[in-house]
Amino acid sequence: MNGSPRGCSKPSSSPLCGDGMTIPRGRIADLKASYVLNSTELHAPLVKNQVVGTINFQLDGKTIDQRPLVVMNEVKEGGIFSRALDHIILLFHRWFG
């Protein structure tokens, strides 16, 4: 994986594309990715390209690269009914999740 990800039309300075990363030939299947959010829950509204966490890329158990985890599309705050429903769902998730 060298250069911008396939289909990336963003400039290389964009947090969505970055500068690329190089891994040894034939090791792509061994590349693991995990993410860490900046907070335990995400709440609308979220702005496009807002950084909400970090993506960690590991090879052989060692972190070889980190990238910002960004919002791809704007997420607007819902109406009163959807917010009430989301609040109830979050309560159940906190209690039983």
Side-chain angles (χ1 to χ4, degrees), residues 32-60:
K32 306 290 182 209
S34 61
Y35 66 91
V36 178
L37 295 175
N38 292 340
S39 62
T40 55
E41 298 172 351
L42 297 177
H43 296 277
L46 298 171
V47 181
K48 183 176 180 174
N49 293 332
Q50 176 181 342
V51 177
V52 294
T54 305
I55 302 173
N56 300 304
F57 295 95
Q58 297 103 16
L59 191 62
D60 297 329

Side-chain angles (χ1 to χ4, degrees), residues 73-88:
N73 297 307
E74 177 184 18
V75 179
K76 295 182 180 183
E77 189 172 44
I80 187 79
F81 179 73
S82 66
R83 287 187 308 202
L85 181 60
D86 288 344
H87 180 73
I88 292 168

